[in-house]
Amino acid sequence: LKADPVVFGKVELVSFAPPKEVNLGPAGSADMVVTFRNMHDWLNDDPKTLDAVFQAAFKVLKPGGVLGIEEHRARPNMDGETASKSLHRIPENYMIAAGLRNGFELGGISQVNANPLDDESVNIHQLLPDWAGADEKLKAIGESDRMTLKFVKPKQ
């Protein structure tokens, strides 16, 4: 990021370790917040921690700012907490509902990280890159099927 400021602009990294540290910076100071494959860890801690993450992102974003989420996808309509604890996955509808209840609008859904070879039934740690005890069938799946969501803070 520092090597090409023309492309990336001014990027500031902050320490963020929910549930202890959930401050992303001064209110209205960021254009974008992105998070990759860790929402299930925060949900596993406590559903309130997941909401605190959404609230921290909402607070730091400017109106019209974007929260981008990439997360391991569970089967639709599974119980979010159960899927998260047992499979380290979250159903897409659960994640969208969490964003909406915390004030965001859904700005888009991308399938760029989808993997149709993954039927979303196995713990993600049995797949790439971990392969914890994976057999050849699991190795053939590759990485997990993942949702990629764009949430937007309303401009109001």
mmCIF file of all heavy atoms in Angstrom, residues 78-120:
data_model
loop_
_atom_site.group_PDB
_atom_site.id
_atom_site.type_symbol
_atom_site.label_atom_id
_atom_site.label_comp_id
_atom_site.label_asym_id
_atom_site.label_seq_id
_atom_site.Cartn_x
_atom_site.Cartn_y
_atom_site.Cartn_z
ATOM 1 N N MET A 78 -29.056 -21.561 7.527
ATOM 2 C CA MET A 78 -28.544 -22.267 8.710
ATOM 3 C C MET A 78 -28.572 -21.285 9.875
ATOM 4 O O MET A 78 -28.532 -20.070 9.666
ATOM 5 C CB MET A 78 -27.089 -22.710 8.492
ATOM 6 C CG MET A 78 -26.904 -23.905 7.607
ATOM 7 S SD MET A 78 -25.166 -24.431 7.560
ATOM 8 C CE MET A 78 -25.022 -25.228 9.169
ATOM 9 N N ASP A 79 -28.608 -21.789 11.071
ATOM 10 C CA ASP A 79 -28.480 -20.922 12.229
ATOM 11 C C ASP A 79 -27.066 -20.324 12.205
ATOM 12 O O ASP A 79 -26.069 -21.059 12.147
ATOM 13 C CB ASP A 79 -28.706 -21.718 13.512
ATOM 14 C CG ASP A 79 -28.501 -20.864 14.738
ATOM 15 O OD1 ASP A 79 -29.371 -20.024 15.020
ATOM 16 O OD2 ASP A 79 -27.439 -21.012 15.394
ATOM 17 N N GLY A 80 -26.972 -19.014 12.208
ATOM 18 C CA GLY A 80 -25.689 -18.339 12.072
ATOM 19 C C GLY A 80 -24.690 -18.692 13.156
ATOM 20 O O GLY A 80 -23.517 -18.955 12.865
ATOM 21 N N GLU A 81 -25.126 -18.702 14.396
ATOM 22 C CA GLU A 81 -24.207 -18.995 15.497
ATOM 23 C C GLU A 81 -23.733 -20.440 15.459
ATOM 24 O O GLU A 81 -22.553 -20.713 15.675
ATOM 25 C CB GLU A 81 -24.876 -18.667 16.833
ATOM 26 C CG GLU A 81 -25.096 -17.176 17.018
ATOM 27 C CD GLU A 81 -25.828 -16.854 18.300
ATOM 28 O OE1 GLU A 81 -25.404 -17.366 19.366
ATOM 29 O OE2 GLU A 81 -26.825 -16.106 18.243
ATOM 30 N N THR A 82 -24.622 -21.358 15.158
ATOM 31 C CA THR A 82 -24.246 -22.770 15.075
ATOM 32 C C THR A 82 -23.277 -23.007 13.927
ATOM 33 O O THR A 82 -22.250 -23.674 14.093
ATOM 34 C CB THR A 82 -25.503 -23.646 14.906
ATOM 35 O OG1 THR A 82 -26.365 -23.428 16.022
ATOM 36 C CG2 THR A 82 -25.137 -25.114 14.807
ATOM 37 N N ALA A 83 -23.580 -22.464 12.756
ATOM 38 C CA ALA A 83 -22.708 -22.623 11.588
ATOM 39 C C ALA A 83 -21.338 -22.016 11.853
ATOM 40 O O ALA A 83 -20.305 -22.586 11.493
ATOM 41 C CB ALA A 83 -23.339 -21.973 10.366
ATOM 42 N N SER A 84 -21.326 -20.881 12.511
ATOM 43 C CA SER A 84 -20.062 -20.211 12.792
ATOM 44 C C SER A 84 -19.197 -21.033 13.740
ATOM 45 O O SER A 84 -18.001 -21.213 13.507
ATOM 46 C CB SER A 84 -20.339 -18.823 13.365
ATOM 47 O OG SER A 84 -19.145 -18.121 13.554
ATOM 48 N N LYS A 85 -19.803 -21.525 14.798
ATOM 49 C CA LYS A 85 -19.026 -22.288 15.790
ATOM 50 C C LYS A 85 -18.575 -23.649 15.271
ATOM 51 O O LYS A 85 -17.466 -24.080 15.553
ATOM 52 C CB LYS A 85 -19.821 -22.431 17.085
ATOM 53 C CG LYS A 85 -19.891 -21.126 17.841
ATOM 54 C CD LYS A 85 -20.611 -21.236 19.151
ATOM 55 C CE LYS A 85 -20.589 -19.876 19.822
ATOM 56 N NZ LYS A 85 -21.384 -19.772 20.999
ATOM 57 N N SER A 86 -19.414 -24.319 14.509
ATOM 58 C CA SER A 86 -19.063 -25.672 14.080
ATOM 59 C C SER A 86 -18.277 -25.704 12.770
ATOM 60 O O SER A 86 -17.423 -26.572 12.586
ATOM 61 C CB SER A 86 -20.321 -26.533 13.958
ATOM 62 O OG SER A 86 -21.178 -26.029 12.955
ATOM 63 N N LEU A 87 -18.563 -24.775 11.868
ATOM 64 C CA LEU A 87 -17.952 -24.801 10.535
ATOM 65 C C LEU A 87 -17.063 -23.595 10.236
ATOM 66 O O LEU A 87 -16.393 -23.567 9.210
ATOM 67 C CB LEU A 87 -19.043 -24.886 9.461
ATOM 68 C CG LEU A 87 -20.006 -26.073 9.555
ATOM 69 C CD1 LEU A 87 -21.120 -25.931 8.528
ATOM 70 C CD2 LEU A 87 -19.258 -27.380 9.380
ATOM 71 N N HIS A 88 -17.112 -22.576 11.093
ATOM 72 C CA HIS A 88 -16.413 -21.308 10.866
ATOM 73 C C HIS A 88 -16.933 -20.638 9.593
ATOM 74 O O HIS A 88 -16.186 -20.039 8.827
ATOM 75 C CB HIS A 88 -14.891 -21.499 10.834
ATOM 76 C CG HIS A 88 -14.358 -22.019 12.124
ATOM 77 N ND1 HIS A 88 -13.965 -21.178 13.139
ATOM 78 C CD2 HIS A 88 -14.213 -23.282 12.589
ATOM 79 C CE1 HIS A 88 -13.562 -21.911 14.167
ATOM 80 N NE2 HIS A 88 -13.715 -23.191 13.857
ATOM 81 N N ARG A 89 -18.225 -20.726 9.395
ATOM 82 C CA ARG A 89 -18.923 -20.156 8.252
ATOM 83 C C ARG A 89 -20.153 -19.406 8.762
ATOM 84 O O ARG A 89 -20.687 -19.737 9.818
ATOM 85 C CB ARG A 89 -19.420 -21.248 7.306
ATOM 86 C CG ARG A 89 -18.348 -22.125 6.702
ATOM 87 C CD ARG A 89 -19.007 -23.279 5.956
ATOM 88 N NE ARG A 89 -18.081 -24.187 5.352
ATOM 89 C CZ ARG A 89 -17.713 -24.152 4.069
ATOM 90 N NH1 ARG A 89 -18.202 -23.217 3.272
ATOM 91 N NH2 ARG A 89 -16.874 -25.041 3.600
ATOM 92 N N ILE A 90 -20.615 -18.456 7.966
ATOM 93 C CA ILE A 90 -21.826 -17.708 8.302
ATOM 94 C C ILE A 90 -22.735 -17.704 7.077
ATOM 95 O O ILE A 90 -22.265 -17.463 5.965
ATOM 96 C CB ILE A 90 -21.495 -16.253 8.707
ATOM 97 C CG1 ILE A 90 -20.572 -16.224 9.926
ATOM 98 C CG2 ILE A 90 -22.778 -15.470 8.987
ATOM 99 C CD1 ILE A 90 -20.108 -14.821 10.326
ATOM 100 N N PRO A 91 -24.033 -17.941 7.247
ATOM 101 C CA PRO A 91 -24.936 -17.832 6.108
ATOM 102 C C PRO A 91 -24.981 -16.391 5.592
ATOM 103 O O PRO A 91 -24.961 -15.433 6.374
ATOM 104 C CB PRO A 91 -26.299 -18.239 6.681
ATOM 105 C CG PRO A 91 -25.985 -18.992 7.936
ATOM 106 C CD PRO A 91 -24.716 -18.395 8.460
ATOM 107 N N GLU A 92 -25.039 -16.255 4.293
ATOM 108 C CA GLU A 92 -25.057 -14.921 3.686
ATOM 109 C C GLU A 92 -26.246 -14.096 4.168
ATOM 110 O O GLU A 92 -26.109 -12.907 4.464
ATOM 111 C CB GLU A 92 -25.103 -15.075 2.161
ATOM 112 C CG GLU A 92 -24.842 -13.796 1.412
ATOM 113 C CD GLU A 92 -24.653 -14.058 -0.063
ATOM 114 O OE1 GLU A 92 -23.592 -14.590 -0.444
ATOM 115 O OE2 GLU A 92 -25.570 -13.719 -0.834
ATOM 116 N N ASN A 93 -27.418 -14.723 4.298
ATOM 117 C CA ASN A 93 -28.592 -13.985 4.755
ATOM 118 C C ASN A 93 -28.402 -13.478 6.192
ATOM 119 O O ASN A 93 -28.877 -12.395 6.536
ATOM 120 C CB ASN A 93 -29.868 -14.826 4.633
ATOM 121 C CG ASN A 93 -29.829 -16.134 5.402
ATOM 122 O OD1 ASN A 93 -28.928 -16.956 5.196
ATOM 123 N ND2 ASN A 93 -30.789 -16.336 6.290
ATOM 124 N N TYR A 94 -27.685 -14.229 7.022
ATOM 125 C CA TYR A 94 -27.401 -13.802 8.396
ATOM 126 C C TYR A 94 -26.496 -12.573 8.381
ATOM 127 O O TYR A 94 -26.717 -11.608 9.118
ATOM 128 C CB TYR A 94 -26.743 -14.952 9.159
ATOM 129 C CG TYR A 94 -26.496 -14.689 10.628
ATOM 130 C CD1 TYR A 94 -27.389 -15.147 11.586
ATOM 131 C CD2 TYR A 94 -25.369 -14.001 11.059
ATOM 132 C CE1 TYR A 94 -27.165 -14.917 12.945
ATOM 133 C CE2 TYR A 94 -25.140 -13.771 12.414
ATOM 134 C CZ TYR A 94 -26.041 -14.228 13.343
ATOM 135 O OH TYR A 94 -25.813 -13.991 14.680
ATOM 136 N N MET A 95 -25.473 -12.610 7.525
ATOM 137 C CA MET A 95 -24.534 -11.490 7.445
ATOM 138 C C MET A 95 -25.218 -10.233 6.907
ATOM 139 O O MET A 95 -24.997 -9.127 7.419
ATOM 140 C CB MET A 95 -23.346 -11.865 6.551
ATOM 141 C CG MET A 95 -22.246 -10.832 6.537
ATOM 142 S SD MET A 95 -21.429 -10.641 8.128
ATOM 143 C CE MET A 95 -20.639 -12.220 8.252
ATOM 144 N N ILE A 96 -26.051 -10.398 5.911
ATOM 145 C CA ILE A 96 -26.773 -9.246 5.362
ATOM 146 C C ILE A 96 -27.698 -8.651 6.416
ATOM 147 O O ILE A 96 -27.737 -7.432 6.607
ATOM 148 C CB ILE A 96 -27.542 -9.646 4.089
ATOM 149 C CG1 ILE A 96 -26.537 -9.955 2.964
ATOM 150 C CG2 ILE A 96 -28.516 -8.544 3.669
ATOM 151 C CD1 ILE A 96 -27.155 -10.590 1.731
ATOM 152 N N ALA A 97 -28.411 -9.495 7.145
ATOM 153 C CA ALA A 97 -29.302 -9.003 8.209
ATOM 154 C C ALA A 97 -28.522 -8.240 9.272
ATOM 155 O O ALA A 97 -28.985 -7.206 9.773
ATOM 156 C CB ALA A 97 -30.076 -10.174 8.832
ATOM 157 N N ALA A 98 -27.325 -8.716 9.607
ATOM 158 C CA ALA A 98 -26.502 -8.018 10.607
ATOM 159 C C ALA A 98 -26.110 -6.631 10.111
ATOM 160 O O ALA A 98 -26.154 -5.656 10.866
ATOM 161 C CB ALA A 98 -25.256 -8.843 10.935
ATOM 162 N N GLY A 99 -25.727 -6.530 8.858
ATOM 163 C CA GLY A 99 -25.378 -5.224 8.300
ATOM 164 C C GLY A 99 -26.563 -4.277 8.292
ATOM 165 O O GLY A 99 -26.443 -3.106 8.672
ATOM 166 N N LEU A 100 -27.717 -4.767 7.877
ATOM 167 C CA LEU A 100 -28.911 -3.925 7.802
ATOM 168 C C LEU A 100 -29.358 -3.454 9.180
ATOM 169 O O LEU A 100 -29.719 -2.285 9.359
ATOM 170 C CB LEU A 100 -30.045 -4.682 7.099
ATOM 171 C CG LEU A 100 -29.802 -5.050 5.634
ATOM 172 C CD1 LEU A 100 -30.964 -5.873 5.091
ATOM 173 C CD2 LEU A 100 -29.548 -3.813 4.782
ATOM 174 N N ARG A 101 -29.318 -4.347 10.171
ATOM 175 C CA ARG A 101 -29.780 -3.948 11.513
ATOM 176 C C ARG A 101 -28.829 -2.945 12.164
ATOM 177 O O ARG A 101 -29.186 -2.285 13.135
ATOM 178 C CB ARG A 101 -30.043 -5.149 12.398
ATOM 179 C CG ARG A 101 -28.863 -5.733 13.110
ATOM 180 C CD ARG A 101 -29.236 -6.793 14.143
ATOM 181 N NE ARG A 101 -28.078 -7.598 14.431
ATOM 182 C CZ ARG A 101 -27.815 -8.772 13.908
ATOM 183 N NH1 ARG A 101 -28.669 -9.325 13.064
ATOM 184 N NH2 ARG A 101 -26.714 -9.420 14.208
ATOM 185 N N ASN A 102 -27.613 -2.851 11.651
ATOM 186 C CA ASN A 102 -26.645 -1.896 12.188
ATOM 187 C C ASN A 102 -26.537 -0.631 11.342
ATOM 188 O O ASN A 102 -25.575 0.111 11.456
ATOM 189 C CB ASN A 102 -25.285 -2.583 12.354
ATOM 190 C CG ASN A 102 -25.271 -3.457 13.589
ATOM 191 O OD1 ASN A 102 -25.240 -2.959 14.702
ATOM 192 N ND2 ASN A 102 -25.345 -4.765 13.400
ATOM 193 N N GLY A 103 -27.551 -0.378 10.517
ATOM 194 C CA GLY A 103 -27.670 0.898 9.824
ATOM 195 C C GLY A 103 -27.176 0.955 8.396
ATOM 196 O O GLY A 103 -27.349 1.964 7.720
ATOM 197 N N PHE A 104 -26.561 -0.110 7.904
ATOM 198 C CA PHE A 104 -26.031 -0.106 6.540
ATOM 199 C C PHE A 104 -27.116 -0.422 5.518
ATOM 200 O O PHE A 104 -28.121 -1.043 5.834
ATOM 201 C CB PHE A 104 -24.913 -1.150 6.394
ATOM 202 C CG PHE A 104 -23.623 -0.743 7.027
ATOM 203 C CD1 PHE A 104 -23.284 -1.202 8.287
ATOM 204 C CD2 PHE A 104 -22.737 0.100 6.372
ATOM 205 C CE1 PHE A 104 -22.088 -0.834 8.884
ATOM 206 C CE2 PHE A 104 -21.536 0.478 6.956
ATOM 207 C CZ PHE A 104 -21.214 0.005 8.211
ATOM 208 N N GLU A 105 -26.847 -0.007 4.297
ATOM 209 C CA GLU A 105 -27.619 -0.436 3.140
ATOM 210 C C GLU A 105 -26.775 -1.463 2.409
ATOM 211 O O GLU A 105 -25.548 -1.365 2.404
ATOM 212 C CB GLU A 105 -27.907 0.752 2.215
ATOM 213 C CG GLU A 105 -28.765 1.817 2.862
ATOM 214 C CD GLU A 105 -28.895 3.080 2.010
ATOM 215 O OE1 GLU A 105 -28.166 3.229 1.005
ATOM 216 O OE2 GLU A 105 -29.727 3.927 2.369
ATOM 217 N N LEU A 106 -27.420 -2.430 1.791
ATOM 218 C CA LEU A 106 -26.687 -3.410 0.999
ATOM 219 C C LEU A 106 -26.390 -2.790 -0.353
ATOM 220 O O LEU A 106 -27.295 -2.465 -1.117
ATOM 221 C CB LEU A 106 -27.494 -4.699 0.845
ATOM 222 C CG LEU A 106 -26.810 -5.828 0.088
ATOM 223 C CD1 LEU A 106 -25.520 -6.261 0.791
ATOM 224 C CD2 LEU A 106 -27.758 -7.009 -0.080
ATOM 225 N N GLY A 107 -25.102 -2.622 -0.641
ATOM 226 C CA GLY A 107 -24.690 -1.984 -1.889
ATOM 227 C C GLY A 107 -24.401 -2.958 -3.006
ATOM 228 O O GLY A 107 -24.345 -2.574 -4.174
ATOM 229 N N GLY A 108 -24.193 -4.231 -2.670
ATOM 230 C CA GLY A 108 -23.934 -5.207 -3.707
ATOM 231 C C GLY A 108 -23.451 -6.523 -3.155
ATOM 232 O O GLY A 108 -22.967 -6.612 -2.030
ATOM 233 N N ILE A 109 -23.604 -7.545 -3.985
ATOM 234 C CA ILE A 109 -23.133 -8.891 -3.689
ATOM 235 C C ILE A 109 -22.348 -9.357 -4.904
ATOM 236 O O ILE A 109 -22.829 -9.249 -6.029
ATOM 237 C CB ILE A 109 -24.314 -9.854 -3.431
ATOM 238 C CG1 ILE A 109 -25.167 -9.376 -2.262
ATOM 239 C CG2 ILE A 109 -23.811 -11.269 -3.200
ATOM 240 C CD1 ILE A 109 -26.454 -10.164 -2.079
ATOM 241 N N SER A 110 -21.155 -9.860 -4.670
ATOM 242 C CA SER A 110 -20.330 -10.371 -5.761
ATOM 243 C C SER A 110 -20.071 -11.855 -5.542
ATOM 244 O O SER A 110 -19.958 -12.316 -4.407
ATOM 245 C CB SER A 110 -18.998 -9.625 -5.815
ATOM 246 O OG SER A 110 -18.128 -10.234 -6.759
ATOM 247 N N GLN A 111 -19.954 -12.575 -6.619
ATOM 248 C CA GLN A 111 -19.617 -13.993 -6.563
ATOM 249 C C GLN A 111 -18.139 -14.223 -6.900
ATOM 250 O O GLN A 111 -17.737 -15.354 -7.177
ATOM 251 C CB GLN A 111 -20.521 -14.779 -7.521
ATOM 252 C CG GLN A 111 -21.993 -14.720 -7.145
ATOM 253 C CD GLN A 111 -22.270 -15.214 -5.735
ATOM 254 O OE1 GLN A 111 -21.705 -16.191 -5.273
ATOM 255 N NE2 GLN A 111 -23.145 -14.503 -5.026
ATOM 256 N N VAL A 112 -17.332 -13.185 -6.861
ATOM 257 C CA VAL A 112 -15.928 -13.285 -7.234
ATOM 258 C C VAL A 112 -15.168 -14.323 -6.402
ATOM 259 O O VAL A 112 -14.214 -14.931 -6.880
ATOM 260 C CB VAL A 112 -15.233 -11.897 -7.183
ATOM 261 C CG1 VAL A 112 -15.106 -11.396 -5.750
ATOM 262 C CG2 VAL A 112 -13.890 -11.928 -7.873
ATOM 263 N N ASN A 113 -15.592 -14.559 -5.166
ATOM 264 C CA ASN A 113 -14.934 -15.535 -4.295
ATOM 265 C C ASN A 113 -15.773 -16.794 -4.078
ATOM 266 O O ASN A 113 -15.528 -17.551 -3.140
ATOM 267 C CB ASN A 113 -14.597 -14.895 -2.944
ATOM 268 C CG ASN A 113 -13.510 -13.858 -3.089
ATOM 269 O OD1 ASN A 113 -12.414 -14.163 -3.526
ATOM 270 N ND2 ASN A 113 -13.823 -12.622 -2.747
ATOM 271 N N ALA A 114 -16.751 -17.000 -4.940
ATOM 272 C CA ALA A 114 -17.584 -18.200 -4.844
ATOM 273 C C ALA A 114 -16.796 -19.416 -5.316
ATOM 274 O O ALA A 114 -15.922 -19.306 -6.179
ATOM 275 C CB ALA A 114 -18.841 -18.037 -5.699
ATOM 276 N N ASN A 115 -17.093 -20.558 -4.719
ATOM 277 C CA ASN A 115 -16.477 -21.814 -5.139
ATOM 278 C C ASN A 115 -17.580 -22.872 -5.214
ATOM 279 O O ASN A 115 -17.969 -23.442 -4.191
ATOM 280 C CB ASN A 115 -15.383 -22.262 -4.178
ATOM 281 C CG ASN A 115 -14.757 -23.577 -4.587
ATOM 282 O OD1 ASN A 115 -15.139 -24.187 -5.581
ATOM 283 N ND2 ASN A 115 -13.792 -24.038 -3.813
ATOM 284 N N PRO A 116 -18.085 -23.155 -6.410
ATOM 285 C CA PRO A 116 -19.172 -24.133 -6.535
ATOM 286 C C PRO A 116 -18.760 -25.560 -6.172
ATOM 287 O O PRO A 116 -19.617 -26.415 -5.972
ATOM 288 C CB PRO A 116 -19.569 -24.034 -8.013
ATOM 289 C CG PRO A 116 -18.405 -23.418 -8.702
ATOM 290 C CD PRO A 116 -17.713 -22.557 -7.686
ATOM 291 N N LEU A 117 -17.459 -25.829 -6.040
ATOM 292 C CA LEU A 117 -17.008 -27.163 -5.629
ATOM 293 C C LEU A 117 -17.199 -27.398 -4.132
ATOM 294 O O LEU A 117 -17.183 -28.536 -3.668
ATOM 295 C CB LEU A 117 -15.527 -27.357 -5.987
ATOM 296 C CG LEU A 117 -15.186 -27.303 -7.473
ATOM 297 C CD1 LEU A 117 -13.673 -27.408 -7.662
ATOM 298 C CD2 LEU A 117 -15.920 -28.387 -8.245
ATOM 299 N N ASP A 118 -17.383 -26.323 -3.376
ATOM 300 C CA ASP A 118 -17.566 -26.406 -1.926
ATOM 301 C C ASP A 118 -19.060 -26.420 -1.626
ATOM 302 O O ASP A 118 -19.761 -25.452 -1.914
ATOM 303 C CB ASP A 118 -16.893 -25.204 -1.254
ATOM 304 C CG ASP A 118 -17.077 -25.162 0.246
ATOM 305 O OD1 ASP A 118 -17.506 -26.183 0.837
ATOM 306 O OD2 ASP A 118 -16.793 -24.111 0.835
ATOM 307 N N ASP A 119 -19.549 -27.522 -1.044
ATOM 308 C CA ASP A 119 -20.981 -27.601 -0.721
ATOM 309 C C ASP A 119 -21.317 -26.980 0.637
ATOM 310 O O ASP A 119 -22.432 -27.125 1.122
ATOM 311 C CB ASP A 119 -21.490 -29.030 -0.821
ATOM 312 C CG ASP A 119 -21.002 -29.937 0.305
ATOM 313 O OD1 ASP A 119 -20.273 -29.464 1.214
ATOM 314 O OD2 ASP A 119 -21.351 -31.124 0.286
ATOM 315 N N GLU A 120 -20.335 -26.318 1.256
ATOM 316 C CA GLU A 120 -20.530 -25.554 2.502
ATOM 317 C C GLU A 120 -20.886 -26.440 3.701
ATOM 318 O O GLU A 120 -21.488 -25.982 4.655
ATOM 319 C CB GLU A 120 -21.592 -24.474 2.307
ATOM 320 C CG GLU A 120 -21.254 -23.515 1.189
ATOM 321 C CD GLU A 120 -22.428 -22.671 0.720
ATOM 322 O OE1 GLU A 120 -23.580 -22.972 1.074
ATOM 323 O OE2 GLU A 120 -22.170 -21.700 -0.014
#
